[in-house]
Amino acid sequence: MTTQPQPIRVLVVEDDPVAADAHVMYVNRVQGFTAVGKAHTGAEARRLLDRTPVDLLLLDLHLPDVHGLQFARSLRAAGHQADVIAVTSARDLTVVREGVSLGVVQYVLKPFTFATLRDRLIRYAEFHAAAGEASGQDEVDRALATLRAPGPAALPKGLSAPTLERVTVALRDSGEGLTATGLAEVVGISRITARRYLEHLVDAGRAARAPQYGAVGRPELQYRWVKGP
């Protein structure tokens, strides 16, 4: 009788409640993975790790009580061996290099889609499953290559990464939020296009929407960034 492999146990560490819930949902949608908990601070994550077996941390680097890399360093010093997929808005390659020595096996830049995280998790699962002695350098290289994404994760059809970046910056900097019409004026795109990018950010857990009631006519949706970097 063949026994099923145990799922990879993931702890989501993310201070924003909306994003944390989205990340837990994403993890549980990927076959072979299970979210065993979520924490909103480094201290809370540490308490969970001390009593719950964890294989992988989905770790936001900007926690309210500690930087994610400092937290990862303290875990290694305490003997915790869980691997780390870092989730961050930062694009500082110095941070990326530092993370390599602390067990950070992947980086995911916010905002990201389910497809992006699924790709990283599947690649990590292939790496995690590798066992035994390598036959030579080629096999070692192949094992390490499974962690590398072949290229940028595909966005939904009709969306582009440069425009998404401009939309993200505009929404994050807006303070009170923006309607699709307001975003279109700021970024220089059509209202319909702006709405598609805003809905994409909502689906990714990076934006929230609510109706904005005016004096006349139907209410227009107001979008706001759910968490600054």
Side-chain angles (χ1 to χ4, degrees), residues 1-222:
M1 180 176 176
T2 304
T3 58
Q4 293 294 323
Q6 292 295 315
I8 294 173
R9 298 160 297 192
V10 182
L11 175 63
V12 172
V13 186
E14 163 65 59
D15 71 315
D16 181 75
V18 174
D21 289 342
H23 297 169
V24 167
M25 179 183 67
Y26 285 175
V27 168
N28 286 331
R29 286 173 62 187
V30 181
Q31 185 175 2
F33 288 83
T34 183
V36 296
K38 62 183 175 181
H40 302 305
T41 66
E44 186 180 357
R46 187 64 175 268
R47 288 193 295 271
L48 286 170
L49 283 165
D50 286 341
R51 65 173 186 260
T52 305
V54 172
D55 303 304
L56 179 67
L57 294 176
L58 191 60
L59 176 64
D60 182 14
L61 295 189
H62 295 280
L63 298 172
D65 57 342
V66 64
H67 189 276
L69 292 186
Q70 182 181 345
F71 177 71
R73 187 178 296 107
S74 70
L75 291 182
R76 291 292 175 262
H80 290 284
Q81 298 300 315
D83 292 320
V84 176
I85 292 181
V87 178
T88 179
S89 300
R91 287 158 171 78
D92 186 350
L93 292 179
T94 302
V95 173
V96 174
R97 289 196 299 270
E98 183 180 356
V100 170
S101 65
L102 299 173
V104 176
V105 295
Q106 290 274 13
Y107 278 84
V108 183
L109 292 180
K110 296 179 180 179
F112 60 86
T113 64
F114 167 66
T116 298
L117 182 61
R118 179 183 59 198
D119 174 78
R120 300 305 191 275
L121 291 178
I122 290 173
R123 289 176 177 277
Y124 172 77
E126 293 174 1
F127 176 77
H128 185 77
E133 185 174 347
S135 59
Q137 183 68 51
D138 288 347
E139 190 168 345
V140 172
D141 291 343
R142 283 195 299 273
L144 293 174
T146 60
L147 291 172
R148 304 189 193 111
L155 290 170
K157 186 176 180 180
L159 304 190
S160 72
T163 303
L164 178 60
E165 178 70 17
R166 288 158 54 206
V167 167
T168 297
V169 171
L171 191 62
R172 280 205 311 236
D173 293 346
S174 65
E176 294 296 320
L178 290 167
T179 63
T181 300
L183 177 69
E185 294 173 356
V186 172
V187 179
I189 54 180
S190 73
R191 184 184 65 82
I192 293 175
T193 300
R195 176 78 177 270
R196 289 195 63 204
Y197 280 95
L198 289 167
E199 288 296 324
H200 170 70
L201 291 175
V202 170
D203 290 342
R206 304 311 312 136
R209 60 174 177 255
Q212 181 187 53
Y213 295 93
V216 181
R218 297 173 61 185
E220 189 171 5
L221 289 175
Q222 179 93 353

